[in-house]
Amino acid sequence: MTATPIGSGVESAVRAQEGEDGPRPQPTWEKVLRRTGRAIIVAFWVMVVAFMLIRLSPGDPVSAALGADAAPDTVAAARKALGLDVDPLTQFWNYLTGLFRGDLGASLISGVPVTEMLRTNMPVTLWLIFTSVTMTLVISLPLAMFIAMARIPGLPYLFRTLTAIGLALPSFLVALILLYQFGLIWQVAPIFGYDPTFPANLQYLWLPSLVNCVVLVPVLSRVLYSSILDTLEEEFVETGVVRGVRWNRFYWLYVLRPSLAPTVVLLSYMMGVMVGSTVILEIIFALPGIGRELVTAVTMRDYPVVQGIILVFGILVVFLSLIGDIVASLLDPRVRLT
Amino acid sequence: MSVNAMASESSDVLVEIRDLVIGIQRTRKDRLLIVESANFDIRRAEILGLVGESGSGKTMVCRSLIGTLKRRSASIFAGTIKFDGMDLAKLEERQWRSVRGSRIGYVPQSALTGANPVMTVGKQLGEAIRRNRKRKEKDVRRRVMELLELVHIRRPEVVYDQYPHQLSGGMRQRVMIAAAITQDPDIVVADEPTTGLDVTVQAEIMKLLKEIRSELKMSVILVSHDLALIDEVCDRLVVMHAGTCVEVGSVSAVARTPLHPYTIALNRSRIDISTPGAPLITIKGNPPAVGEWPAGCRFSDRCDFVQQDCTVGRNPVLVEVRPNHWSACLHAERLGGTSE
């Protein structure tokens, strides 16, 4: 074959027909920056809502700490000491300025700085989320792909049934059953406790992560399964077959990658939900995570702790979904960052 | 003269399709036939048009040529596809690998979904080049540029790094054509390559296919239901109806003296834009659904010239009525001359 264009006469005609080159690829970083800016604004509003909610709900920390029959001047003194004697707007201002100094305040009950609590307890929760997501991915990706491509009669039906059961099980029940089975009967997992150093902590995290998988795997693998089925219907898969692409490249570039975007977005959303739902697992498995601290703080009306944790959770959720969107658009250029 | 005499006519036959039966095995005993009798040749460096209504089995015949029937859970039950000493109807998946791409290229139906959305144009074309021989990255890039120029892509260096969704429909289809001819195949299978493109772009794509035929000496199978398009670019024509080839011949012969009532009806149902207000003529009835074919000739229900012997017995086979002009109509001799 030669390098010269065949029948060069049509060249000019073609030029006249198509004129444009189509939209030029826009710099991605610009979109990422815009999207990040919006995420920051959302995180701020999350904080405002957290501040308001805890103050609008009934009960206050002073009566919780001193009891209902405390003398009025003792209560007033306590309020002054905690900075609750000024109006809510000033309280918010004080809180906000503290925030920029890296000061989230201290617990009204124990006096421990909130940043200190976050530093010790947050990693546990993050590790739990991380291991859960990793396990979920390791199980879901091959599972969904196998079921979509194996063409074994009856298998998709079995898959739908089992995933429906998994979805319907409440996670606290699954946690108790697994804890009983693995921890007591087989004794292959510790029943409670935690070790904050890296390889050792996995020993304590794998069972709670497995519990998360029971809920996460069905959701994720189902979404991925149906996206893969959609992708397989597309003509470019056929083109790939005819092109003779090697199987490993074929599965990744022609099947999995074009199907991943919805799954990635869903996963980032579910990670956000998990930030809240790990509380149950932290309690059942006695893990010193931040979720447990939050529950305690809410019952004690420990304003700074609740505010601090909710703020961090909010930022986490917002940025997880940001990362999800960015990853999705990197995997599949058809996904637009908006 | 019978069907089997077809091949002896010309020595430049590239592919010989004989009595091809394609269908879906639903249960062990229940077979759904989609193509019941496909009989035609593909000659060297010709553009062969494959026309017929949707459901006539055009696409299935194409898929049998690129070995992707299985993906649609269909398979070849009988017949042969002779190509260069091989029988494509009996190839194993492993053997297909040496045929697809390098011997037979494929241009997908829709420019919109035919290109992989997660790979840049350059990567996709490069992948097709790289597959057999080990090549240096620089050589691959140069070859991709050559190909893009060959299919008249302007500014190939820009398009190289673009994703398919950033290109216009026409450009996308050009890229797909470039991908199909990457490995210098003998045949390019183009399954309705202009679906969803506007008329001017359609004409450009057709022009490009013609150039590929004449400059690169490749055979092109062009599937379409647009007769005007076929007339313009094809050398020979295969008309399919309800899973059967009903007429095979040169475009001029089929246009001048169609020898099958279905072809006549197709010709008549063209939209005539030169006489405003002219009534739209349609073929009466619907194409028979797959698996619900009538006894005798499949077109007998809809035929204007139907005779008593048309509705009994088996589906009539192709017979060479005139030299190099085959028809599956029992009364083809009497039709000769009934042209529009």
Side-chain angles (χ1 to χ4, degrees), chain B residues 37-81:
Chain B
S37 129
N39 277 296
F40 60 91
D41 295 336
I42 303 163
R43 296 180 188 165
R44 231 169 259 285
E46 76 167 347
I47 301 186
L48 180 70
L50 196 54
V51 282
E53 289 156 302
S54 23
S56 60
K58 299 168 292 183
T59 301
M60 281 298 170
V61 171
C62 279
R63 296 238 156 88
S64 70
L65 282 169
I66 53 171
T68 57
L69 282 172
K70 225 197 224 157
R71 278 181 23 80
R72 310 279 155 173
S73 50
S75 51
I76 296 174
F77 293 143
T80 54
I81 308 173

